[in-house]
Amino acid sequence: MAMTSGMVDVLRGDSCQGRTFDAIVVGAGFSGLYQLLCLRDRLGLSVQLLEAAEEIGGTWYWNRYPGARCDSESHSYCYSFSEQLWQEWEWSEKYPGPPEIRRYLNHVADRFDLKRDIRFNTRVTAAHYDETANLWRVSTDAGDVFTAQFLITAVGCLSTANVPDFPGLDSFQGKWYHTGQWPHEGVDFRGKRVGQIGTGSTGIQSAPVIAETAAHLTVFQRTANYSVPARNGPLTPEFKRWIRENACEIRTTMHTAVNGHPFLISETSALAVSPEERLALYEKAWETGGLRFRGTFRDLVTSNEANATAVAFLKDKIRKIVKDPATAEKLADIDHPYAAKRPPIDTDYFETFNRDNVILVDVRADPIERITQNGIRTKSGAEYPLDIIVFATGFDGMTGSLLRMDIRGRKGLPLAKAWAAGPRNYLGLQVVGFPNLLTVTGPGSPSVLCNMPVAIEQHVEWITDCIAHMRKSGLKRIEPSDEAVDSWVAQVKAAAEVTVLPQAKHSWYLGANIPGKPRVFMPYAGGMAHYRRICADIAARNYEGFLLSA
């Protein structure tokens, strides 16, 4: 690789050659690409981006399961920092699938010549802070060591697959797959008996597509879930033109919206209108489809009484769509408020249970006892013969990808130990005891509660401005104070408690899908626009709450 400004060869160990950069970025998805661009092209720093996969894509490199699709509208699921980029790229569908998103990210990487500073097939195995040298030493699975003053993680919030430890899985004679680690060549379900475990977003997207070709599909439902039709389809020429002509307005809406999407939440309370008007508004939102349903009323996530009106509407839809009353009741037996989990959107999910080759098994009533050589056995003794098992069991959200990298701060403090009681940081950006480590959309930031590219751009630009400030001021280290972290953790908790979100006790927002993981509500629920103002104010007050030193 050609030498760039600021890069120096250094020797580590007997024969292992490393390189020193101003910054190392981990992850080549939306976050990592933009962070590389900002630090390299705007600040002129030497930057190395390390990526475990063989290509660009981040979570969309790994997520290729049947029916996989973004739940943000395509014209908002993109970068907004470049007017030219906005004008020259054209999306084909309302909700893009992984191939189109990867094409977009590759277009961005090629347009800004980013790939020359990306090392693919390079998984970070350890990142240890050297206090004396004020450097992060980053080790990879290839035995290379890289060093940098700044280490920036752009590893995504949902990129560490969670495969439950079911007894007997090793004995299963068929094939099994996790939706987050899907074979790139795909899976042929024709003539196969398939069991799908999980009915979160990935399961809701997968089931209809699997059922189309499988001989039989058994959906093992652990937790019944809401879903709203996506109403996906090709974008019309008129809408594509509207996107180009209204770029400024769209971006303004995204940056001022609570959730970073290209629409605003209604200012009307669900309780301030008549039952007839409320029903009409819900029907209109159902026909529109997608996450816009969440924006029908302002208090759906802050009032249990208001939320109950959406719950009643959505459960009624399930009962009307699903023809078998017993199956409909299992699907409608939902034990948490609407949107207390990230609300899925679908294409014919509930309709899938009207097919002759699909059955639903409620494993809350009859839990999975073990996986056998030939399929799945439940506690009641029921046996389900299977050729393929699909685990749609989600991810070790928000912290999993960070904790598996063996990150160690001052005096060898492991991040896992610092977060033993749950993730403690400041603004979702920094952790006490880990100088110059910055986490893009880390726990404690809005991240998964909003349209991710909006959250990513805000974090990347804040980090870039902060490093520029440090270099201009001759400062070498930054980390938060204990007091700032305590205050922020309390604010994250308080923001969640004024919503219905913590009421879903099995939500991955709380880490409840991972055995032994601390039950702490991780994202900041105070809204993306409000969070943006908080971060800007802190920077304007000379990075209040951060300890900066020369």
Side-chain angles (χ1 to χ4, degrees):
M1 186 175 67
M3 295 286 286
T4 59
S5 175
M7 190 188 303
V8 182
D9 285 335
V10 293
L11 293 177
R12 305 291 176 214
D14 295 332
S15 60
C16 181
Q17 189 179 52
R19 290 191 172 92
T20 294
F21 297 83
D22 294 319
I24 291 172
V25 178
V26 184
F30 273 91
S31 303
L33 295 180
Y34 189 39
Q35 189 68 79
L36 168 59
L37 185 153
C38 286
L39 294 180
R40 189 193 69 181
D41 295 358
R42 297 182 186 178
L43 300 190
L45 304 189
S46 62
V47 185
Q48 178 71 79
L49 192 155
L50 305 177
E51 169 55 53
E54 62 185 359
E55 297 173 7
I56 280 169
T59 188
W60 298 107
Y61 174 85
W62 305 105
N63 283 275
R64 303 172 186 235
Y65 58 87
R69 197 165 291 281
C70 182
D71 60 4
S72 292
E73 294 173 36
S74 58
H75 68 286
S76 67
Y77 197 75
C78 54
Y79 296 113
S80 62
F81 67 86
S82 166
E83 179 65 24
Q84 282 186 306
L85 180 61
W86 182 282
Q87 294 296 334
E88 70 193 15
W89 182 262
E90 190 172 271
W91 295 99
S92 67
E93 294 182 281
K94 183 178 180 181
Y95 296 104
E100 187 165 19
I101 297 172
R102 291 196 301 272
R103 286 196 299 273
Y104 171 73
L105 290 175
N106 272 282
H107 170 75
V108 173
D110 292 339
R111 192 186 192 289
F112 295 101
D113 191 21
L114 299 178
K115 292 179 183 177
R116 63 182 166 90
D117 291 307
I118 302 175
R119 186 174 288 232
F120 296 103
N121 297 304
T122 303
R123 182 175 294 279
V124 172
T125 56
H128 297 173
Y129 178 65
D130 182 335
E131 186 172 4
T132 302
N134 189 35
L135 289 174
W136 280 94
R137 304 194 187 283
V138 180
S139 303
T140 74
D141 55 358
D144 294 318
V145 177
F146 300 87
T147 59
Q149 179 184 0
F150 295 99
L151 173 62
I152 302 168
T153 62
V155 293
C157 300
L158 297 173
S159 53
T160 300
N162 169 41
V163 179
D165 186 20
F166 286 113
L169 180 58
D170 291 343
S171 69
F172 182 56
Q173 297 298 299
K175 301 287 188 181
W176 67 267
Y177 308 95
H178 190 283
T179 50
Q181 298 173 333
W182 205 256
H184 290 188
E185 67 275 13
V187 177
D188 186 357
F189 295 107
R190 289 176 297 179
K192 303 296 185 182
R193 299 165 299 178
V194 183
Q196 175 185 297
I197 302 174
T199 53
S201 292
T202 56
I204 283 172
Q205 289 182 329
S206 296
V209 181
I210 294 173
E212 287 177 358
T213 57
H216 192 272
L217 171 64
T218 303
V219 176
F220 295 87
Q221 175 183 275
R222 301 183 301 169
T223 305
N225 215 339
Y226 306 97
S227 190
V228 172
R231 311 295 185 197
N232 188 40
L235 298 182
T236 65
E238 293 77 17
F239 188 74
K240 292 177 182 179
R241 184 169 59 251
W242 179 84
I243 293 170
R244 291 192 298 271
E245 293 175 353
N246 294 274
C248 183
E249 178 185 341
I250 295 168
R251 286 194 292 264
T252 298
T253 299
M254 289 160 56
H255 290 175
T256 55
V258 168
N259 53 18
H261 287 285
F263 57 87
L264 299 176
I265 305 296
S266 170
E267 296 182 0
T268 302
S269 167
L271 308 176
V273 296
S274 69
E276 295 76 15
E277 184 179 355
R278 185 167 57 234
L279 178 61
L281 289 169
Y282 279 140
E283 287 287 358
K284 181 180 179 182
W286 177 267
E287 291 305 316
T288 299
L291 294 178
R292 290 177 185 259
F293 187 91
R294 154 70 183 84
T296 308
F297 297 107
R298 64 171 170 80
D299 48 359
L300 290 189
V301 298
T302 57
S303 162
N304 278 302
E305 189 178 358
N307 193 277
T309 66
V311 167
F313 176 86
L314 293 170
K315 288 185 177 184
D316 183 60
K317 284 293 184 184
I318 295 171
R319 295 183 178 107
K320 288 178 178 176
I321 293 170
V322 180
K323 295 176 181 177
D324 176 60
T327 301
E329 285 310 307
K330 291 177 184 177
L331 290 166
D333 186 21
I334 305 171
D335 65 356
H336 57 278
Y338 169 66
K341 295 180 168 185
R342 185 168 177 117
I345 63 175
D346 71 89
T347 299
D348 296 331
Y349 173 65
F350 295 114
E351 290 83 351
T352 296
F353 294 96
N354 294 329
R355 299 178 63 107
D356 293 337
N357 67 330
V358 177
I359 63 170
L360 178 71
V361 176
D362 180 2
V363 296
R364 185 165 55 184
D366 188 14
I368 294 173
E369 183 178 73
R370 68 179 295 107
I371 294 174
T372 67
Q373 288 187 342
N374 300 313
I376 290 176
R377 184 168 70 235
T378 60
K379 189 175 182 179
S380 69
E383 297 266 2
Y384 299 89
L386 302 169
D387 303 303
I388 296 173
I389 298 175
V390 174
F391 289 100
T393 47
F395 302 87
D396 185 353
M398 305 202 71
T399 60
S401 297
L402 291 167
L403 295 179
R404 73 176 178 177
M405 284 196 294
D406 185 23
I407 299 175
R408 303 192 183 198
R410 187 182 290 109
K411 297 180 181 179
L413 174 66
L415 183 61
K417 184 175 181 179
W419 284 0
R424 289 177 46 80
N425 63 16
Y426 188 34
L427 302 176
L429 284 163
Q430 274 217 294
V431 184
V432 173
F434 295 77
N436 297 348
L437 169 67
L438 295 131
T439 55
V440 181
T441 63
S445 70
S447 60
V448 295
L449 297 182
C450 73
N451 181 26
M452 285 300 298
V454 174
I456 286 166
E457 284 190 330
Q458 184 269 335
H459 257 198
V460 166
E461 289 166 2
W462 192 97
I463 289 169
T464 302
D465 290 344
C466 179
I467 292 176
H469 167 77
M470 291 177 65
R471 290 172 69 82
K472 181 179 179 181
S473 305
L475 301 168
K476 303 296 184 183
R477 292 181 179 85
I478 180 171
E479 67 176 297
S481 69
D482 285 305
E483 296 77 12
V485 169
D486 288 342
S487 174
W488 184 247
V489 169
Q491 288 183 62
V492 171
K493 184 174 185 290
E497 288 176 344
V498 299
T499 74
V500 301
L501 300 178
Q503 295 178 31
K505 299 303 181 184
H506 37 65
S507 168
W508 59 260
Y509 291 161
L510 289 158
N513 61 325
I514 305 297
K517 188 169 182 175
R519 300 297 185 259
V520 176
F521 193 85
M522 292 180 283
Y524 175 69
M528 186 63 219
H530 183 59
Y531 174 83
R532 183 189 297 274
R533 290 191 293 271
I534 291 173
C535 290
D537 289 346
I538 286 171
R541 294 195 295 268
N542 201 29
Y543 294 91
E544 183 179 67
F546 290 94
L547 305 174
L548 296 106
S549 59

